[in-house]
Amino acid sequence: MENLRKEIGFFGAFSTVVGVVIGSGVFFKAAVIYKTTGNVSLGLLAWILAGIISICAGLTTAELAAAIPETGGMIVWVEKAYGKTISYLLGWAQAVIYYPASIAAAAAIFSTQFLNLFGVDKKYSILVGACAATTVTGLNLLGSKASGHIQTIATVCKLIPIIAIIVFGLLQPNPTTIELFPSSSSSTSSTPLAALGAAMLAAMYGYDGWSNVGTIAGEMKNPKKDLPRAILYGLLVITAIYLLINVAYLLTMPMEQIAGNGNVPNDVATKLFGPNGGKIITIGIMISVYGTMNGFTMTAIRVPYAMAMKDQIPFKNFWIKLNRFSIPYFSALVTLVLTIAMMFTGEFDTLTDFLLFTIWIFFIATFFAVFVLRKREPDMPRPYKVPFYPIVPWISIIGGAYIVLAAIITQFILAISGVIITLLGLVFYTETHKKFKK
């Protein structure tokens, strides 16, 4: 049996967390958040609370990742806690919805920035996005070491424009007054609490992707030590970056000019660095989003492989075949086809809402798995345990439940579509089990 190579160290895993999470969200969600809240303090609080939920979620799942460091990540953990059926549905949802939609959403932003930078007609948007996704897939087929290096380079490059905005933005002489406890909101929501809730839903997309590093645990040199550290330190750095760049935005431009403005980073850069600043930031955004696409692709192509190794999908022999770089190439090609198909189904916000609802249902189940396995298998080796148990897992669960409910209320059709597509996977699961029982 062919095995995946263990070539990824701590910095490769750390850069995967940072590289996947820091993508389009840090640039494009500020406009939505401040438009929703109509209040500087509520907007910043939304970023803080979303970061706290994500950190708690990362710390919770890190216990599972360290105890069960196998390629497949959540699929393996969920199977251990609930059995093969739920595990299969998670893998199906990741392979058919979450990863293709994530890559497609990132490709849409990359395409938009590319067209703006070079003045290309919008009719070529899908073509440019498809080309970007294809090149990312090609690079990943060269092996986990190559894709890890690409992720590291992209992570370093994307931080350069972000740090530039933060440093020069914080030096602006016109500070913005921020209330610790804002008493009102100028948004259309009835109360500040309602405005904060809607803003948190938008902010959570900015933190999405932290769980993907668990998928490559089987290819890490020392996953029990490096994986929890990569998740924790990665999310702490990300939260700090998000807060600082938002403060830099607010010190450079009035909140009223940020709210609803889809070109906030470009406008801020133009004020800070002159007319060419917008172009520099556009290039930075493209590198950032390309790194996000690479990180999602890097983890996406390993999900069907892990499922096939457990006899959970038909045509097992196709999915487990590795190329000479030890990469499941058939899985990579199928993921690319699904990604391009997703590009025709919706725009950036539609795709992000669709994928967030679907994956957070399984995130909640994963958080509960910590309780299940601690009770069922108390003697399981746990080189890392989630701190402040059970408070941290419960924060993750409550935060996840809010996200799911908010998506049902605000995007009912998308939510139902996600449920239907996920349950359709049971048809293939049933047929596969009939085959292997014979």
Side-chain angles (χ1 to χ4, degrees):
M1 181 68 69
E2 297 176 279
N3 295 313
L4 301 174
R5 298 175 185 173
K6 295 182 179 293
E7 300 179 323
I8 302 174
F10 164 74
F11 195 74
F14 172 84
S15 62
T16 298
V17 175
V18 176
V20 170
V21 174
I22 298 181
S24 55
V26 66
F27 297 110
F28 293 96
K29 288 300 181 181
V32 177
I33 289 172
Y34 295 111
K35 180 180 180 180
T36 301
T37 61
N39 184 288
V40 169
S41 300
L42 283 178
L44 292 175
L45 185 59
W47 285 111
I48 293 172
L49 293 178
I52 291 173
I53 292 173
S54 298
I55 290 172
C56 289
L59 291 174
T60 301
T61 55
E63 176 174 320
L64 300 172
I68 315 170
E70 300 178 24
T71 295
M74 288 199 335
I75 293 177
V76 181
W77 313 333
V78 168
E79 179 179 346
K80 188 78 171 177
Y82 307 112
K84 292 184 177 180
T85 302
I86 301 300
S87 172
Y88 165 81
L89 285 177
L90 167 58
W92 170 267
Q94 285 182 325
V96 177
I97 299 174
Y98 178 70
Y99 285 117
S102 297
I103 301 168
I109 291 298
F110 180 91
S111 177
T112 299
Q113 297 303 304
F114 181 91
L115 298 181
N116 290 339
L117 182 63
F118 296 102
V120 180
D121 195 293
K122 291 184 178 180
K123 67 181 180 180
Y124 296 107
S125 177
I126 293 179
L127 177 61
V128 172
C131 288
T134 301
T135 60
V136 168
T137 300
L139 292 171
N140 272 268
L141 287 173
L142 296 178
S144 60
K145 194 171 186 178
S147 56
H149 286 324
I150 294 168
Q151 195 63 43
T152 299
I153 293 171
T155 298
V156 173
C157 290
K158 78 170 59 181
L159 291 178
I160 293 175
I162 291 176
I163 292 172
I165 290 177
I166 290 174
V167 172
F168 286 92
L170 295 180
L171 294 176
Q172 294 303 294
N174 299 314
T176 297
T177 301
I178 301 175
E179 301 173 347
L180 183 60
F181 299 103
S183 58
S184 64
S185 170
S186 61
S187 72
T188 56
S189 300
S190 57
T191 65
L193 185 61
L196 176 63
M200 283 180 60
L201 184 59
M204 287 307 301
Y205 175 72
Y207 291 94
D208 184 53
W210 50 264
S211 65
N212 295 324
V213 70
T215 310
I216 59 173
E219 294 166 86
M220 294 180 65
K221 298 175 183 177
N222 190 356
K224 291 184 178 181
K225 177 182 177 182
D226 292 340
L227 189 56
R229 292 193 305 145
I231 294 175
L232 174 59
Y233 296 157
L235 286 172
L236 286 173
V237 168
I238 290 163
T239 301
I241 289 173
Y242 283 7
L243 287 176
L244 289 173
I245 198 169
N246 271 269
V247 172
Y249 287 162
L250 292 164
L251 292 178
T252 307
M253 293 174 59
M255 186 203 70
E256 292 75 15
Q257 293 182 19
I258 296 175
N261 182 358
N263 293 312
V264 171
N266 308 73
D267 292 346
V268 169
T270 299
K271 286 194 173 186
L272 292 175
F273 310 117
N276 291 326
K279 292 184 178 180
I280 295 173
I281 290 303
T282 296
I283 294 173
I285 292 172
M286 290 173 62
I287 295 175
S288 174
V289 174
Y290 196 84
T292 298
M293 293 171 61
N294 180 71
F296 275 118
T297 301
M298 187 177 178
T299 52
I301 61 181
R302 287 155 175 83
V303 172
Y305 173 87
M307 294 175 69
M309 292 295 288
K310 296 179 178 298
D311 293 331
Q312 290 185 329
I313 54 177
F315 310 110
K316 170 184 176 179
N317 292 334
F318 285 97
W319 300 103
I320 64 174
K321 284 184 178 180
L322 306 178
N323 65 9
R324 67 190 185 94
F325 298 104
S326 297
I327 298 297
Y329 61 90
F330 184 74
S331 174
L333 296 176
V334 172
T335 299
L336 176 60
V337 171
L338 290 174
T339 296
I340 295 175
M342 283 281 187
M343 295 179 189
F344 289 91
T345 62
E347 297 180 351
F348 175 70
D349 289 328
T350 302
L351 290 168
T352 56
D353 290 341
F354 188 41
L355 66 92
L356 275 178
F357 170 80
T358 305
I359 199 62
W360 269 93
I361 293 176
F362 292 101
F363 278 161
I364 295 172
T366 304
F367 304 148
F368 269 117
V370 173
F371 295 100
V372 173
L373 293 177
R374 279 205 183 191
K375 182 176 182 180
R376 184 193 302 162
E377 301 186 34
D379 298 326
M380 174 187 290
R382 292 177 172 85
Y384 162 86
K385 290 186 176 181
V386 57
F388 305 108
Y389 179 89
I391 297 174
V392 169
W394 272 114
I395 292 175
S396 308
I397 292 168
I398 294 171
Y402 165 78
I403 292 170
V404 170
L405 290 174
I408 292 174
I409 294 171
T410 60
Q411 299 285 351
F412 181 75
I413 295 178
L414 282 179
I416 293 299
S417 299
V419 171
I420 292 174
I421 294 174
T422 300
L423 294 178
L424 280 176
L426 290 173
V427 175
F428 297 94
Y429 178 76
T430 301
E431 292 301 317
T432 302
H433 267 245
K434 286 180 180 179
K435 176 181 176 181
F436 286 109
K437 285 180 179 179
K438 291 181 180 179

